[in-house]
Amino acid sequence: MKIYDITQELFHCVVFPGDPKPEKEAVLRIEDGAVCNLTKVSLCAHNGTHVDAPWHFCQDGKTVEQVSLDKFVGKCYVAEAAGELKAEDAEKLLQTAKNADPEAAKRLLMKGSAFVSAGAAKVFAEAGIWLFGNESQTVGPEDAPAEVHHILLGAEVVLLEGIRLGEVPEGVYLLNAAPINLGGCDGAPCRAILMQL
């Protein structure tokens, strides 16, 4: 079974403009006579490869630990696209995914430089998908991501942002993108992997 690591390395990751960068600090080092190596980490919940919980944009939305892990673990469909994903593109993508595997159509991952328009977000929300992932640090347009986030997160579609799919062919996979259990938070980093079925 082939496993694809689709996660950015955290300390060299792309950071959304304005977000704090992840940092690490050596607290203890064996080479300095300590009994063990110990590192202190500081980061934003949305650094690197991460998930957005509904509470990120919806005041009454679920925080990351309240979202069922079923949304993050299971079959998914990887498709390649570039530019703005419009409503008609979303409909075609959903149909292609359903034809390949109806269960995989609940979790959609976009390979390439695609971003979601409000129209496409409405199609995904109305279809009741569980998760949408993309390679950018935001699922919507970088200069105006709020509307797309409100539509998707408002429909409890969780987002998996900052994935890396360059080596992954289109098709059906088993996804594990369980977030770190950061209680009460709007998102969390995760170690996202795909497994061939």
Side-chain angles (χ1 to χ4, degrees):
M1 175 178 59
K2 185 168 179 62
I3 297 176
Y4 294 93
D5 184 352
I6 60 170
T7 312
Q8 296 182 62
E9 192 281 318
L10 189 61
F11 296 107
H12 296 93
C13 71
V14 178
V15 176
F16 187 79
D19 284 358
K21 295 180 180 180
E23 298 177 349
K24 62 181 174 179
E25 175 189 340
V27 176
L28 297 174
R29 288 295 179 254
I30 295 170
E31 66 185 22
D32 297 330
V35 68
C36 65
N37 292 314
L38 186 67
T39 305
K40 178 181 175 182
V41 176
S42 172
L43 59 108
C44 170
H46 300 271
N47 284 153
T49 303
H50 66 280
V51 302
D52 287 359
W55 194 57
H56 186 33
F57 275 82
C58 304
Q59 183 58 39
D60 296 326
K62 292 179 179 175
T63 53
V64 73
E65 85 285 3
Q66 295 171 330
V67 177
S68 171
L69 288 177
D70 291 343
K71 293 201 174 190
F72 304 107
V73 180
K75 287 183 180 180
C76 72
Y77 188 79
V78 174
E80 187 165 3
E84 183 180 29
L85 200 66
K86 298 181 179 174
E88 56 268 28
D89 303 316
E91 289 167 359
K92 287 178 190 172
L93 170 59
L94 275 169
Q95 192 56 55
T96 301
K98 285 177 185 175
N99 290 344
D101 187 314
E103 182 68 21
K106 293 179 182 178
R107 301 174 195 86
L108 302 174
L109 305 184
M110 294 305 304
K111 175 180 179 176
S113 59
F115 64 93
V116 176
S117 68
K122 288 174 185 171
V123 169
F124 293 140
E126 289 168 8
I129 70 168
W130 289 1
L131 177 145
F132 185 88
N134 69 327
E135 296 203 65
S136 173
Q137 291 305 113
T138 182
V139 71
E142 190 172 292
D143 60 345
E147 183 180 14
V148 169
H149 278 78
H150 279 288
I151 294 166
L152 292 171
L153 295 173
E156 295 200 350
V157 178
V158 292
L159 306 177
L160 174 59
E161 297 172 326
I163 52 178
R164 294 295 177 255
L165 297 169
E167 304 300 315
V168 182
E170 292 182 290
V172 177
Y173 296 88
L174 181 62
L175 169 70
N176 184 344
I180 297 173
N181 190 356
L182 299 180
C185 286
D186 43 274
C190 66
R191 181 71 179 264
I193 61 169
L194 292 176
M195 292 166 273
Q196 279 185 333
L197 296 172

